[in-house]
Amino acid sequence: MDGPNNRNSSPRLADLAQLVRLPAALSVPGDVLAGAAASAGAPPPRILGTMASSIALYWAGMALNDYADATVDAVERPQRPVPSGRVGRRTALATACALTAAGLGLAALTGGRRALGVALPLTGLVWAYDLGLKSTPAGPAAMAGARTLNVLAGAQPGHRASALPAALLVGAHTYTVTALSRHEVSGAPREVPAATLVGSTATAVAAAVLPGIRRRGGTARIGAALGALAYLASYGTAQARAAREPSATNVRNAVGTGIMSLMPLQAALTAGGGRAGLAGVLAAAHPLARRLARKVSPT
């Protein structure tokens, strides 16, 4: 039985947008672009389909998260769509299933078996995280793995090894955000945001000085450095604030900032791959994403 969590059988679009954390999907296409730039320099024709697949799988994970956490959220986050009754729990599960099917279908149409070779394990990690791994020590690693695969989804088949450094940096960032997210409700021990700040600082430095950037020329080096600085200025500042005062509010703000700060990191990696124009688009979209996140929380 779903009980009170299934009161609303016809949720509003605004409630579904909150369920899937609609603005947070703006952090997804940059994964694909970073992978494409690192592996081939220029995005292949299939790139839009790959982005759409990745967004669908991301939204599926958000809906599945709220389905799985309905009981906990009823106590800790009663304002969320499922515990508040604005979206039924079964509706959340159906949404997750439909978006998963859409994401895998788009991957198959876009890239065939090779694309499914990335999309299927990515989907498996997302579902495993939401349904069982979230509260275990493997949780952050599962989310990091999913984002790593998302970058590799954008890479040219046969050239994915060249995109692996960028993918691992996106995964490292995701690990820090996921580790922080475990303390959104009750606050964190001071050493948690301090440790994630060290990790994101190392990520920023690595993004600015990846060996491949040197072969791309001065524009790539400058773009990568600027993107890395913007990333650290945004996410690093939020983590430093949480390290000074690790309250639930500051940790929650650091998590939300971390989700959106993935975009300047992606911009750094895309610029380092020789695609300065696309990196500029990602950098310019970051302020818009942050404004939208104030209306619909990304966490």
Side-chain angles (χ1 to χ4, degrees):
M1 279 180 69
D2 288 328
N5 291 326
N6 205 45
R7 290 195 299 267
N8 190 351
S9 59
S10 300
R12 299 177 305 155
L13 289 178
D15 297 326
L16 290 174
Q18 187 176 352
L19 176 74
V20 300
R21 324 290 199 275
L22 192 68
L26 290 173
S27 72
V28 175
D31 286 347
V32 179
L33 285 178
S39 66
R46 64 181 177 82
I47 201 74
L48 292 179
T50 304
M51 288 180 182
S53 170
S54 295
I55 288 171
L57 293 176
Y58 184 91
W59 281 340
M62 294 298 100
L64 185 65
N65 175 81
D66 280 18
Y67 163 79
D69 284 359
T71 302
V72 174
D73 284 347
V75 176
E76 296 181 349
R77 298 178 178 90
Q79 76 281 0
R80 280 188 170 176
V82 172
S84 69
R86 290 178 288 121
V87 175
R89 193 175 180 217
R90 283 180 292 183
T91 300
L93 179 60
T95 301
C97 291
L99 287 167
T100 297
L104 293 175
L106 284 165
L109 286 172
T110 300
R113 286 183 294 177
R114 287 185 171 182
L116 282 175
V118 176
L120 283 170
L122 191 162
T123 300
L125 282 174
V126 170
W127 278 70
Y129 174 83
D130 283 336
L131 297 181
L133 296 180
K134 180 186 300 183
S135 299
T136 74
M143 275 293 92
R147 278 287 191 172
T148 298
L149 287 170
N150 206 38
V151 176
L152 295 178
Q156 285 278 52
H159 298 275
R160 285 182 176 138
S162 59
L164 189 57
L168 290 174
L169 288 180
V170 169
H173 165 78
T174 304
Y175 190 99
T176 68
V177 175
T178 309
L180 279 174
S181 71
R182 296 182 164 204
H183 304 279
E184 287 184 279
V185 175
S186 57
R190 194 178 303 275
E191 58 268 22
V192 172
T196 63
L197 177 56
V198 171
S200 57
T201 300
T203 298
V205 171
V209 300
L210 278 178
I213 293 173
R214 296 180 181 177
R215 299 193 296 270
R216 302 286 186 180
T219 301
R221 289 195 294 270
I222 292 170
L226 289 175
L229 283 173
Y231 162 72
L232 195 56
S234 176
Y235 186 34
T237 299
Q239 290 174 98
R241 188 179 301 115
R244 288 193 301 270
E245 177 53 55
S247 65
T249 297
N250 284 343
V251 171
R252 192 159 49 247
N253 288 339
V255 172
T257 301
I259 292 171
M260 292 308 181
S261 293
L262 184 53
M263 297 176 74
L265 176 61
Q266 294 161 342
L269 298 170
T270 302
R275 304 300 296 176
L278 292 173
V281 171
L282 287 171
H286 181 224
L288 171 62
R290 293 183 66 178
R291 284 196 293 272
L292 290 174
R294 296 189 189 106
K295 299 181 181 296
V296 179
S297 172
T299 68

